[in-house]
Amino acid sequence: MKRKKIIGVMGPGGGATESDLANAEEIGKLIAKNGWILLNGGRKSGVMDAVSKGAKLNGGLTIGILPSDNLEGVSEFIDIPIVTGIGSARNNINILSSDIVVACGIGMGTLSEISLAIKADKKVILINNNNESKIFLNNLSWKKIGIAESPSEVAKLIKNYFD
Amino acid sequence: MKRKKIIGVMGPGGGATESDLANAEEIGKLIAKNGWILLNGGRKSGVMDAVSKGAKLNGGLTIGILPSDNLEGVSEFIDIPIVTGIGSARNNINILSSDIVVACGIGMGTLSEISLAIKADKKVILINNNNESKIFLNNLSWKKIGIAESPSEVAKLIKNYFD
Amino acid sequence: MKRKKIIGVMGPGGGATESDLANAEEIGKLIAKNGWILLNGGRKSGVMDAVSKGAKLNGGLTIGILPSDNLEGVSEFIDIPIVTGIGSARNNINILSSDIVVACGIGMGTLSEISLAIKADKKVILINNNNESKIFLNNLSWKKIGIAESPSEVAKLIKNYFD
Amino acid sequence: MKRKKIIGVMGPGGGATESDLANAEEIGKLIAKNGWILLNGGRKSGVMDAVSKGAKLNGGLTIGILPSDNLEGVSEFIDIPIVTGIGSARNNINILSSDIVVACGIGMGTLSEISLAIKADKKVILINNNNESKIFLNNLSWKKIGIAESPSEVAKLIKNYFD
């Protein structure tokens, strides 16, 4: 049996920019259209909510790995909430459960996920307008990080990785 | 949007009896037939594998919460493996993520899940031939535990809880 | 360098009986007197607080593995609070970090810790007045569980294990 | 009862530079001399081992939060190994359990810890020769990060925070 690929999309909650949100929704849509499963942090906030919306409204399946120990604050666009009760320690579960990790925008939670992803030897794709973070992370990382300028480039990079 | 209910089925891996395995497969089938989502410990072993098989072969969706930090040892009947990397600490995630917890058979891991489920105030249903465990747990618990004698009784109890 | 042994003492919080509390305080004292380190769930409640008090007032070192993500509710008798933020999933850390696990009294949290301890192949000692739990657990366990009738018997069993 | 302050020192394992190791050992010494408790990742590698050595050889108390589920690979300079069994998810426990977080050197694990520390609103002090990381993190963070040029500056910053 062949499992569908799981794409983890990470990004800021309250700190997400308009551009992060627009990118996230479009990435969610492309994930759904390509038949991949979306995984994210599950909350009704920022990039998590936007990417879930994009995937869900386009027929995708959405998994949310929640930090809290109950369903409060879950995005309405999450099909399967995983209630971890382990707070930010769940960031590592987000990473380990994703075949590919996309970071859409940047914030401290997202930065922890990018670092954990590289440490866990996951493929990472960055999409955001923060040039500093791209340069800094690429210099620090021992492996090439994918840099995308648009949601469609994110999807193209993902496809390349799977080929 | 109405989310589908998630039924967590816990039970022994290597220590599962023939009767545990037969019950598990049938419970998985009934979960699928009722349109619920199956969640379990995800490994290719004992009750986890049997219940996943029962659900998957009957068109159900199966979530596996793995203790390990990679996909090794995952059941082939799991659609969505959540790779936690937190070992037996993931037992608490199994519980928190389930709307109802079914314990099919008994072992030390399963016993920890029953205890954590009662502690987290989850509805718990036991199905197994160990009379001692039924009596002991019902006496110790401050709330009524469901006792089922067959997979169809498990399904009936679940439906009752949801009504 | 030889590390001091760590004795984990588990037991109910709010549900602890008078006898559990008296036993816990005496066990804490004996742990301190023997030069062992005490580890427990860290909260200012029930067995956790009593055993920490017994150890601390007798010159012992006390480690508390807290479920919460801050210091609220920590026992004043804990020297080193480990703030896990992972809720009841921390029960498995309690177990893995203890050289020997003592269960003083019984409740759902304690039962999960006993099960996880046996699963992790730790030496377990029970002290409480619940005969059912002793019989049930000894029957279910594939290895002998120590049964103590008094705090001094607990200390004697611990010493035997270390010899 | 007044608890001793816990200083968490994070830093690379295998990727630590000579200067990271020298700084770490000196920081460990200063932590011990000031009567603080040292907490770190616990492994016999890089900054973890060096800072533990510095503290231990100067009479300090050392806590190691291990990622693994057993004692294999623990630094010999750790007094109290906390065996979490939760892999890199333990990075968040390192942070939550520390009154102040010092990052000595930089790597992906360390970067995840810095991010988690800022997210958890902990005071963070950086000491390393990577200018990029100082600038990048200070720009990204919504709060001032302490920058130290030497171990004695680290100790001075810690004292300032406690005053």
Side-chain angles (χ1 to χ4, degrees), chain C residues 7 22 25 28 39 44 55 64 80 92 96-97 113 126 137 162:
Chain C
I7 311 299
E25 190 165 342
L39 181 146
K44 185 193 189 61
I80 300 168
N92 201 46
L96 294 177
S97 303
E113 289 164 319
L126 306 184
L137 288 165
F162 288 150

Side-chain angles (χ1 to χ4, degrees), chain C residues 1 3-4 6 37 39 56 61 63 65 68-71 74-86 92-94 96-97 99, chain D residues 1 3-4 6 37 39 56 61 63 65 68-71 74-86 92-94 96-97 99:
Chain C
M1 202 186 69
R3 261 191 299 277
K4 287 185 184 175
I6 297 179
I37 293 172
L39 181 146
K56 189 64 196 154
L61 185 67
I63 319 286
I65 311 288
S68 52
D69 62 2
N70 61 58
L71 287 171
V74 66
S75 164
E76 63 180 308
F77 302 108
I78 288 294
D79 292 310
I80 300 168
I82 302 298
V83 181
T84 69
I86 65 171
N92 201 46
I93 299 183
N94 296 355
L96 294 177
S97 303
D99 289 301
Chain D
M1 204 186 67
R3 259 191 299 277
K4 290 186 183 174
I6 297 179
I37 293 172
L39 181 147
K56 190 65 198 153
L61 185 67
I63 320 284
I65 312 288
S68 53
D69 63 2
N70 60 58
L71 287 170
V74 65
S75 163
E76 64 181 308
F77 302 107
I78 288 293
D79 291 310
I80 299 168
I82 303 296
V83 182
T84 69
I86 66 171
N92 201 45
I93 299 183
N94 295 354
L96 295 176
S97 303
D99 289 300

Side-chain angles (χ1 to χ4, degrees), chain B residues 49-90:
Chain B
D49 200 43
V51 70
S52 301
K53 184 180 177 188
K56 190 63 196 154
L57 297 188
N58 288 280
L61 185 67
T62 55
I63 319 286
I65 311 289
L66 293 166
S68 53
D69 63 1
N70 61 58
L71 287 171
E72 215 176 297
V74 65
S75 163
E76 62 180 309
F77 302 108
I78 288 293
D79 291 310
I80 300 167
I82 302 298
V83 181
T84 69
I86 67 172
S88 292
R90 73 82 152 83

Side-chain angles (χ1 to χ4, degrees), chain A residues 1 3-4 6 37 39 56 61 63 65 68-69 71 74-86 92-94 96-97 99, chain B residues 1 3-4 6 37 39 56 61 63 65 68-69 71 74-86 92-94 96-97 99:
Chain A
M1 204 184 68
R3 260 191 299 276
K4 288 185 184 175
I6 297 179
I37 293 172
L39 182 147
K56 189 63 197 152
L61 185 68
I63 320 284
I65 311 288
S68 53
D69 63 1
L71 286 171
V74 65
S75 164
E76 61 179 311
F77 303 108
I78 288 293
D79 291 310
I80 299 168
I82 302 297
V83 181
T84 69
I86 66 171
N92 201 46
I93 299 184
N94 296 354
L96 294 176
S97 302
D99 290 300
Chain B
M1 202 186 68
R3 259 191 299 276
K4 289 186 183 173
I6 297 179
I37 293 173
L39 182 147
K56 190 63 196 154
L61 185 67
I63 319 286
I65 311 289
S68 53
D69 63 1
L71 287 171
V74 65
S75 163
E76 62 180 309
F77 302 108
I78 288 293
D79 291 310
I80 300 167
I82 302 298
V83 181
T84 69
I86 67 172
N92 201 46
I93 299 183
N94 296 354
L96 295 175
S97 302
D99 290 299

